[in-house]
Amino acid sequence: MLTLLFDGLAYGMLLFILSCGLAVTLGLMNFINLAHGAFAMAGGYITVVLTNNWGVPFLLSLPIAFVAAAVLGLLLERTLYVRMYEKGHLDQVLFSIGIVFVAVAGIDYVMGSQQQILNLPQFMRGRVDVFGVGVGIYRAFLIVVCGLLAVALQLILTHTRFGSRLRASVDDRRVARGVGIRVNVIFAVTFAVGSGLAGLGGALGAEILGLDPTFPLKFMVYFLIVVSVGGTTSMLGPLYASILLGIADVMAKYYVPVLGGFVIYIVLVVVLVLRPQGLFSRMN
Amino acid sequence: MQANHSTPTPLSADVRRVMRRPVRWTMIEIAFWILAVLSWFFLPEQHLILTEIAGIAIFALSIDLILGYAGIVSLGQAALYGAGAYASGLFSIYVTGEPISGLLVGAVAGAIIAFATSFLLLRGGDLTRLMVTLGVAAVLFEIANQTAWLTGGADGLQGITIDPLFGHFEFDFYGHTGYAYSLAVLFVLFVLSRLIVSSPFGISLKAIRDNPLRASAVGIPVAARQVAIYTVAGAYAGIAGALFTQTQQFISLDVLSFQKSADGLMVLVIGGTGYLYGGIVGAVVYEMVQDGIANLTPQYWQFWVGILLVVFVLVGRDRPRELISRLTARAGQMRKSSSETVISKRQET
C-alpha cells in the first residue's frame, strides 16, 4: 500500500516535470501546444544516445538534455511559434499537430520505431527497505529532483523580477510593452525553459514511461490533463494535480486493473464539468 | 427568423433574394457532382481510393457542421466515428448484414454518443471543449480496448460480412459497388446538410458561432442548438464510420484513435471550413498527397503531412477557400445578370 503510494508519488512528480512547461505555455501564454511531448521525447532520446552510445554519465546527461531541449524550443519559438501567438486556437491546434507528426516520423526515421532502453547507472537501481516500505532508489531520486524543481519554479514565478514581468506580460501584453517590459524576450525565455523542463522530464521518465517515437501522442493527453485539472494560476495547481493523478493512476491500475486505463480520463471529464477553470484555480 | 413559418412577415425583395441565394444550386456545384458521378465510369481503377475519399469526406462534413457552422472545436470526432463503425460492425455480425440498416445503426450510435456527451461541451471555452472531446474519445478507445471479447480489442473486429446492396450488388474486391454506394450516401448527406445550414436553424447556428452572447440576446436558445447540431454531426460521423466498416469489412482500434480525429480535422481545414465542400475538396487533396508521398517514402509520409500542415497554417488556412470562392464567384458572374451580381457583392461586403 505505502509502496504503491510512493510509486504513485514518483509518477506524479514525473508528470509534473513533464507538464509544467505546458502549464506555462498553455496556461500563461494561452497557446495550445499539443507538441509539448515532442520536446520531452527529444530530451529522452538525447539522454539515451548520450548514456548508452557515448558513455556520458547519466547524471551529466540530464542537464545536457535540459539545455538541448531548451535550445530546440528557443529555435522553434523564434522561427515558428512566435507567428502563431495571435492566431486562433484552432490554428494553434493544427500547427502543433503538424509539429507532432514531423517529430514522430523524424525520430522514427533517425532512431527506428523500437522501444529505447535506458541503461541506468548501478547506484540508481534496486530498492531499499525504509520502515517496511520498499523504496526504489531511482523513484526516490525522481521525487527529490522534481520536488526541488517544483519549489524553485514556484519561487521564480512569484518572488523574482522575471516572474512578475512574465505575469504582467501574460495579463496584458500591450500594457506590459508600454511599461518597458521586453515581452518577446520574456516569452522566448519562458518557452525555452518550458521546453527544457519537458526535455528533462523526458530524460528522467524514459525509464518509467518508456520511449518510442509515439511518445508525444501517447502522453499528450496526460500532459493536457495535468494542466487542465491543475489550473494555471500558479505552479502549485499542476503540482497537486500531477500527484493526485499519478497516485490515482498507479492505485487504479493495481487494484482495479479493468478500470485502470479510464480513471485518469474520468477524473479529467468530471473536473472539467464541475470546474472548467481547473481544480486548483480560483474561479473568476 | 423562427416565426417565419407560422406568421409570414413581409420581406423586401432584396432580402428574399439574398436568403434564397445559398439555397439555389450554382452551375459549378452541379458540374462538380456530375464530375463525381462520371468518375465512377471513367476511373474504374481508382474505385478503392475514391471510396476512401468519399468516406473521409462524410467524416469531414460532420466536423464542418459543428466547427464551420456552429464554431465548436473538437479533437474527439473519432469517438463518434468509431462508435458508428463498431455499432454497424457488431450489427452485421449479430443481427443482419444488410447494408442500409447497418448505416442507420451507425448513425444512431454516433448520434447517441454525441447527444450524451454534448452536455459536457456546453461549459467552458475552446480549451475545455478540446480537452473534453479528447477525453471522451480516449475513454471510448479504452473501452473498445478493454472489452476485447466484444470488439476484438487490439486485434480488431473480424468476421464482418456485408450482404449485397439491395440484395443484388455484391461488395466486390475492386470497390465498384462500394464507391457507387459511398458516393450516393455522400450525396444524400450533403444535400441534407445543405438544407440544414440554409434553414433558419442553420442561420441561427452561424449567429451562435459568430457571437454566442449576442445570439442568446436575440432569443436563440444557444445550448439547445449546440446540442442539436452536435447530435446531427454525431449521426454523420456514425454513418461515415459505418460506411468504413462496410467497405473495408474490418475494424481496428484506429477508428477511435486521436490520429483519426486529427485526420478528419486536417482534411476539413485543408479544404476550408464553413462551406460544406471543404470536406470533399480536402479529402481529395489529402488522399492524393498521402498517396503520392506514400509511394515515394512509404513509411514516413506522416513527416511530410506534418510539414504540409505547419506550412498551411503559417500561410493562412483561409487561402484555399478564398481561391475557391473567387472561382465560384467568377463562374457565377458569367451566368448571372450584372445587376444581380452587384446586389450580391454589396451583401458580401
Side-chain angles (χ1 to χ4, degrees), chain B residues 58 84 112 252 295 318:
Chain B
I58 296 174
I112 288 175
S252 67
N295 282 337
D318 279 336

Side-chain angles (χ1 to χ4, degrees), chain A residues 159-173:
Chain A
H159 281 73
T160 64
R161 182 158 291 205
F162 181 83
S164 50
R165 278 184 180 149
L166 174 60
R167 282 177 288 134
S169 311
V170 167
D171 282 345
D172 197 324
R173 217 167 288 183

Side-chain angles (χ1 to χ4, degrees), chain A residues 26 32 34 80 83-84 87 89-95 97-99 101-102 104-106 108-109 113 217 220-221 224-225 228 257-258 261-262 265-266 268-269 272-276 283, chain B residues 67 73 75 120 123-124 126-128 130-132 134-136 138-140 142-143 146 258-259 262-263 265-266 269 273 286 299-300 302-307 309-310 313-317:
Chain A
L26 184 74
I32 301 188
L34 298 185
L80 298 176
R83 295 157 201 261
M84 303 303 300
K87 297 209 179 185
H89 283 155
L90 181 65
D91 280 307
Q92 297 173 350
V93 165
L94 292 165
F95 168 79
I97 290 177
I99 299 267
F101 282 173
V102 169
V104 168
D108 194 347
Y109 178 74
S113 59
L217 282 173
M220 177 181 74
V221 183
L224 288 167
I225 289 175
S228 25
V258 188
F262 303 104
Y265 304 116
I266 293 168
L268 166 76
V269 169
L272 284 185
V273 168
L274 296 179
R275 303 204 54 171
M283 294 276 248
Chain B
L67 176 67
V73 283
L75 268 182
L120 304 175
R123 296 195 60 178
D126 280 357
L127 180 61
T128 314
L130 287 171
M131 292 305 309
V132 169
L134 199 64
V136 168
V139 168
L140 282 199
E142 275 300 319
I143 291 176
Q146 299 273 341
F258 170 74
Q259 182 91 40
D263 279 353
L265 196 57
M266 204 155 41
V269 297
T273 54
Y286 182 75
Q299 214 181 332
Y300 307 109
Q302 248 195 355
F303 181 84
W304 298 105
V305 170
I307 296 270
L309 204 54
V310 170
V313 177
L314 286 175
V315 170
R317 65 188 162 83

